[in-house]
Amino acid sequence: MAALLRVLNPEVGMISPRTRERMVAGLRSAGITDERVLAVMAQVPRHLFVAEALASRAYEPVSLPIGWGQTISQPLIVARMLSAVLAAGSPQRILEIGTGSGYQTALLAALGMEVFSIERVEGLYLATQELLRRLEVPKLRLRLGDGSRGWEENAPFDAIIFTAAVPCALPPLFHQLLAGGCLLMPQAGRAEEQRLKCYRWNGQDAEEEDLGECRFVPLLPGTVNQKDQIGV
């Protein structure tokens, strides 16, 4: 974690560390207790992962648009997801389905994990790839592709995280998990309801944990090429 933060900290710019400290205080009061999660969220500058015009709002308890019809999740949801992944110990290899802005990707890397991340929107993939390259995020592999299929050739993983709402009809990717691993996904229900679900896999069966209500963009199949995109 220290190596990544040495790269990130010189670029903090106009946002003071106290702003992130206030965000972390809010996470504590909302029930986040994992000190590893709180530490990286206190140090990784979230405003670098949103447009400059939105930088002053980066530490508010809200989701924000990142272009291409996508959003960066509110800090509390990110913290809950990271806490769930870490609850079973110290996972080493993580599959993230939906790279998005790269903020959660950077947090996972700062926690010492090897991150395999898939993004379906080419313009967002290219922009985030460049940002993460510039920040020298370690132990990271990105791919443009359909995340609903996972990343079979690099399986098995200690955890799989979806950052888009998964329809109930999507077959789980338990075959790409190690025994003892977790599959974390926002699950779309009836109407517009979404629940954040964590499935802990023992190699044969999965134990389900409901982590509460959430709001994510829907998981869509296929990829979106630059020529087909709606723009930022």
Side-chain angles (χ1 to χ4, degrees):
M1 181 176 73
L4 173 60
L5 295 178
R6 279 198 297 272
V7 174
L8 291 172
N9 283 339
E11 301 198 38
V12 168
M14 67 178 182
I15 308 295
S16 74
R18 289 186 179 181
T19 304
R20 291 198 297 282
E21 290 169 7
R22 286 194 295 271
M23 178 188 72
V24 170
L27 295 175
R28 286 187 187 277
S29 66
I32 302 301
T33 59
D34 193 306
E35 292 299 329
R36 295 168 293 180
V37 172
L38 294 169
V40 293
M41 294 189 72
Q43 296 179 75
V44 173
R46 190 170 186 259
H47 67 275
L48 296 182
F49 298 88
V50 301
E52 186 176 351
L54 294 173
S56 63
R57 301 194 61 200
Y59 301 96
E60 296 178 9
V62 295
S63 60
L64 295 169
I66 56 173
W68 296 278
Q70 307 299 303
T71 60
I72 181 174
S73 297
Q74 62 173 291
L76 179 57
I77 290 294
V78 175
R80 283 179 179 166
M81 296 179 82
L82 295 177
S83 296
V85 168
L86 292 172
S90 299
Q92 300 300 309
R93 289 165 51 86
I94 307 295
L95 173 61
E96 179 187 44
I97 298 175
T99 313
S101 69
Y103 176 60
Q104 180 173 262
T105 315
L107 289 167
L108 290 165
L111 286 163
M113 304 177 200
E114 182 179 8
V115 186
F116 297 79
S117 190
I118 305 173
E119 175 55 52
R120 67 180 293 272
V121 180
E122 186 179 19
L124 183 56
Y125 163 78
L126 292 172
T128 300
Q129 181 185 52
E130 172 58 24
L131 173 62
L132 295 174
R133 183 202 62 77
R134 180 165 57 84
L135 297 177
E136 300 180 17
V137 177
K139 297 193 295 184
L140 173 64
R141 292 186 63 180
L142 301 181
R143 192 182 85 178
L144 176 67
D146 184 346
S148 65
R149 301 175 183 177
W151 202 335
E152 187 75 50
E153 58 267 38
N154 285 300
F157 303 99
D158 295 297
I160 299 174
I161 306 174
F162 283 83
T163 65
V166 177
C168 294
L170 181 72
L173 297 175
F174 294 132
H175 65 286
Q176 295 187 28
L177 271 179
L178 287 166
C182 74
L183 177 64
L184 189 64
M185 62 169 66
Q187 199 164 71
R190 291 176 294 182
E192 296 184 357
E193 182 185 30
Q194 294 180 13
R195 307 293 298 183
L196 185 59
K197 299 291 186 73
C198 181
Y199 297 90
R200 303 209 178 271
W201 177 245
N202 64 13
Q204 294 182 325
D205 301 295
E207 179 180 345
E208 178 184 321
E209 180 182 3
D210 190 324
L211 301 178
E213 187 177 0
C214 61
R215 177 62 56 194
F216 285 80
V217 297
L219 180 75
L220 298 174
T223 58
V224 181
N225 297 323
Q226 281 190 302
K227 65 179 182 179
D228 301 321
Q229 288 168 12
I230 60 175
V232 300

